Amino acid sequence: MGFMKPQLPPVDADTFRTLPRQERLKLLTRHWVEHGFGSPYAVYLFYVAKCLLYAGGAALVISLTPGLGPVAEAASWWSEPIVYQKLIVFTLLWEVVGLGCGSGPLSSRFNPPIASILYWLRPGTIRLPPWPDKVPLTRGDRRTGVDVLLYAAVLASGVWLLSRPGDGSRIEGFGDVGLLDPPAAVPLIACLAVLGLRDKTVFLGARGEQYWLSLLIFFFPYGDMFIGFQLVMLALWWGAATSKLNHHFPFVVATMMSNAPLIPSGRLKRVFYRDYPRDLRPSRLPFVLAHVGTATEYGVPLYLVFFGDGGWWTWAALLYMTVFHLHILSTVPMGVPLEWNLFFIFSLFYLFGAHGDLTIWDLRSPWLLAVILPSLLLLPILGNVRPDLVSFLPAMRYYAGNWATSAWVFTGDALARLEGGLTAACRLPTHQLEALYDADTALLMAGKAQSWRSMHSHGRAHNGLIDRVTAGQDDVVVVDGELIAGFAIGWNFGEGHLHNDQLLRAVQARCGFAPGDVRVICLEGQPIHRQTQAYEIHDAALGLLERGHVKVHDMLTRQPWPTDGPNYPVYGVQSAHPLRPTPNEARSAEADGSVAGVPPLDTAS
């Protein structure tokens, strides 16, 4: 691995092309164990620079607030109450522009490294309304001038809010800069809420479950406001901890550690697996680390919020949690929530250090709980019980390996037609890589994305369901749904509900695929009270082909490459069409107007 040269699997591209999918994944996943994605050093330098830009940009912008002072004097004003308010606004803007989560090469964004703003300011791109049949004026899947203006209004209202001075109110122990005037936050709150009803992607991309909710807390007086901020952080930690109460998380730990750039490649990374190269299930070490991480996110925040008094134990807890989040940063996880972890670290010292004299026992307004508890308690409960109804982000089921996912299966020239049929601001990741390297290197690097998915527990189910769909077919290209979403809608961050059958219908309206051209395997997350995961298989032209469920136990016992052929165990199967459409079905679909040459589905807004 060099500054720009990736670490590739030990096989030439011509040989790789001739290998069956099982042998490809064996090669790729074994290589992942020791080298992770194999990213060149320039990729990590890019993320270091981006984190520095986030921290430095936030400090510079906040320092322009009248009454604070220059960045060089930040030690004298960093704890002012208005600083945290403005950091929330700055971070929301950073995310909604596309500079935060889901950016850069480790999200398969090579050139350009961000996409959100390039898509959301462009009419004609795909939008995905969350409840088009229930919320008036949200039907359709085509971005219009109204959507573009709403997104521009989000950016403008956020910048305007950042530029506002404090109200001059005096808060004991601090200066007289005061707080932001609460009504000044109304335009940003309203614009993002309305836009989110027309396109859930933008709301999720802004990390609305955290930062938009925090804007509502601006309307409470200083004491209750900062207790509200503490409760938001507590819910994020506890939500993340609760999401790890499953059998999936040790697979995540092992996969993350293989990709950690600070751990030397080779023998040290093999200890996270049972018997490399034969058995690539997690060893005992990832299970131990998983339990430690879960206990940390439950126990330490519990102490800080309910019992922290600013004394020695409080500062020990703050330092421990700082090391915890720095460890996450050091692994540079796929999806790269790096600035998010920096925000957590600052919040630790700001909320529980500089403002640690405020505790939950000082809460005065019950209305604060009425505003935040539906988001901090009810949505996560619903999302854990019915993951099909709630995105893993507002459900706070974070990096725990239990998400909705999908695999898109293309035959013939369908993938090329997809790229040519959509309004987009970039090309598919493989073509982005070809522009930076060459076709052979791009092929092997793209394969590492498949190996990353296969290393997770649900990747084992993906492999079995893909074989179930493609048995006997040779001209098949499988693309992870994350990569399709990144190309089609401009943002991806592990949210499978952004590349399920809703996106497939929008794609079909533009491309008019024939039966069998594109099939999508959608695997839902695991409900907290069940040991199964629901799946659906959709055809672009025919619609739902099959639904059923798979058992978590079956995933845990398999290797990250296909081992069952088309006979992977599935249960409760309900079939609407054969998985491989017959010529008669193709002719029937053409006759009823669902393929190319027939007017597309209505996509009016």
Side-chain angles (χ1 to χ4, degrees):
M1 184 170 65
F3 185 73
M4 286 295 295
K5 183 179 180 181
Q7 179 72 49
L8 297 176
V11 62
D12 65 89
D14 289 337
T15 301
F16 186 78
R17 289 186 177 94
T18 66
L19 295 176
R21 188 167 183 275
Q22 179 188 41
E23 295 305 315
R24 286 189 182 192
L25 283 174
K26 276 187 181 181
L27 180 72
L28 292 167
T29 53
R30 287 167 175 168
H31 189 263
W32 181 279
V33 167
E34 297 189 296
H35 303 284
F37 196 74
S39 301
Y41 295 123
V43 167
Y44 300 110
L45 181 61
F46 166 83
Y47 286 112
V48 170
K50 195 161 69 75
C51 286
L52 292 174
L53 182 62
Y54 166 74
L60 177 61
V61 169
I62 293 170
S63 73
L64 300 177
T65 304
L68 289 185
V71 174
E73 299 175 7
S76 67
W77 54 258
W78 76 276
S79 61
E80 287 290 327
I82 199 173
V83 169
Y84 197 73
Q85 290 183 297
K86 290 206 168 184
L87 180 62
I88 289 169
V89 179
F90 181 88
T91 308
L92 185 154
L93 283 173
W94 184 270
E95 296 286 354
V96 82
V97 166
L99 290 166
C101 301
S103 64
L106 289 180
S107 291
S108 293
R109 300 196 184 285
F110 304 97
N111 184 27
I114 68 169
S116 301
I117 191 171
L118 304 179
Y119 279 73
W120 301 339
L121 283 177
R122 185 170 185 171
T125 53
I126 292 176
R127 65 179 178 88
L128 299 175
W131 304 290
D133 296 328
K134 297 180 175 63
V135 180
L137 303 178
T138 65
R139 286 179 180 271
D141 53 42
R142 189 177 301 277
R143 194 173 312 281
T144 67
V146 172
D147 302 294
V148 171
L149 288 175
L150 279 170
Y151 180 67
V154 167
L155 300 181
S157 58
V159 171
W160 182 76
L161 185 55
L162 274 178
S163 71
R164 306 308 299 158
D167 61 9
S169 59
R170 182 73 183 179
I171 299 172
E172 185 178 355
F174 300 97
D176 56 3
V177 177
L179 298 161
L180 286 172
D181 188 25
V186 170
L188 179 55
I189 293 171
C191 288
L192 186 55
V194 174
L195 181 56
L197 291 174
R198 287 185 58 83
D199 188 1
K200 61 186 177 184
T201 312
V202 181
F203 188 84
L204 295 175
R207 300 306 302 273
E209 85 282 358
Q210 178 177 354
Y211 304 122
W212 183 84
L213 177 64
S214 295
L215 294 176
L216 301 180
I217 302 175
F218 286 11
F219 288 85
F220 292 88
Y222 161 73
D224 286 352
M225 181 192 304
F226 276 72
I227 292 170
F229 293 150
Q230 291 178 358
L231 290 175
V232 169
M233 297 303 297
L234 176 68
L236 294 170
W237 277 310
W238 278 10
T242 301
S243 73
K244 295 176 175 64
L245 300 177
N246 58 50
H247 296 290
H248 306 283
F249 189 49
F251 289 79
V252 175
V253 173
T255 305
M256 282 178 59
M257 300 309 288
S258 284
N259 196 48
L262 298 183
I263 299 179
S265 298
R267 182 174 300 175
L268 190 56
K269 290 186 176 181
R270 297 178 192 173
V271 302
F272 294 98
Y273 302 88
R274 293 191 184 184
D275 184 20
Y276 174 87
R278 289 173 291 276
D279 188 350
L280 301 191
R281 291 175 296 170
S283 66
R284 290 301 305 168
L285 180 57
F287 282 85
V288 172
L289 294 176
H291 289 312
V292 170
T294 304
T296 293
E297 289 178 314
Y298 273 133
V300 181
L302 172 69
Y303 171 78
L304 289 172
V305 172
F306 290 94
F307 306 107
D309 57 5
W312 187 91
W313 282 106
T314 296
W315 285 96
L318 294 178
L319 291 174
Y320 177 83
M321 288 302 292
T322 299
V323 172
F324 178 80
H325 283 284
L326 286 175
H327 165 69
I328 297 173
L329 276 167
S330 73
T331 66
V332 196
M334 305 289 276
V336 286
L338 306 181
E339 294 88 349
W340 192 54
N341 279 278
L342 291 176
F343 183 90
F344 270 69
I345 292 171
F346 181 83
S347 298
L348 281 164
F349 290 97
Y350 189 93
L351 296 177
F352 305 104
H355 296 263
D357 56 319
L358 287 170
T359 70
I360 192 171
W361 311 114
D362 299 314
L363 181 64
R364 294 289 178 265
S365 173
W367 290 109
L368 174 68
L369 299 180
V371 169
I372 64 175
L373 284 187
S375 294
L376 300 186
L377 185 62
L378 299 184
L379 272 181
I381 290 175
L382 178 61
N384 275 282
V385 175
R386 288 291 305 274
D388 57 311
L389 297 181
V390 184
S391 161
F392 86 100
L393 291 170
M396 299 183 185
R397 296 185 295 108
Y398 295 119
Y399 202 70
N402 183 23
W403 323 286
T405 57
S406 77
W408 289 52
V409 181
F410 298 87
T411 58
D413 65 347
L415 185 58
R417 290 164 55 199
L418 170 77
E419 188 171 44
L422 303 189
T423 300
C426 64
R427 300 197 69 187
L428 287 164
T430 303
H431 292 144
Q432 295 178 39
L433 285 169
E434 288 175 356
L436 294 172
Y437 297 102
D438 54 69
D440 290 347
T441 301
L443 173 68
L444 294 174
M445 291 183 71
K448 294 307 291 288
Q450 297 179 31
S451 67
W452 173 82
R453 178 67 72 192
S454 293
M455 293 297 290
H456 292 83
S457 53
H458 58 256
R460 275 74 164 169
H462 269 236
N463 289 335
L465 291 171
I466 289 169
D467 278 357
R468 180 175 175 82
V469 169
T470 64
Q473 291 185 275
D474 298 322
D475 61 334
V476 168
V477 177
V478 180
V479 183
D480 194 277
E482 285 292 297
L483 307 187
I484 298 297
F487 163 72
I489 61 177
W491 189 76
N492 58 291
F493 186 56
E495 175 47 85
H497 298 152
L498 297 181
H499 42 84
N500 59 9
D501 58 303
Q502 183 184 17
L503 179 59
L504 179 63
R505 289 192 295 273
V507 166
Q508 176 67 0
R510 290 154 175 80
C511 299
F513 292 112
D517 282 352
V518 182
R519 287 157 292 171
V520 178
I521 301 164
C522 302
L523 182 64
E524 189 51 75
Q526 177 193 348
I528 196 169
H529 60 298
R530 294 178 180 167
Q531 292 300 310
T532 60
Q533 293 182 232
Y535 76 87
E536 292 183 348
I537 300 171
H538 295 265
D539 182 276
L542 299 175
L544 179 67
L545 301 180
E546 177 180 292
R547 64 160 53 102
H549 62 266
V550 292
K551 292 184 178 180
V552 173
H553 175 268
D554 293 331
M555 306 177 199
L556 306 180
T557 59
R558 280 162 172 77
Q559 298 302 317
W561 51 78
T563 57
D564 302 276
N567 299 315
Y568 186 85
V570 294
Y571 307 88
V573 175
Q574 299 176 9
S575 298
H577 298 279
L579 297 179
R580 289 166 291 282
T582 65
N584 286 336
E585 286 176 310
R587 286 191 292 271
S588 175
E590 187 170 358
D592 67 19
S594 59
V595 298
V598 180
L601 302 177
D602 179 24
T603 58
S605 61

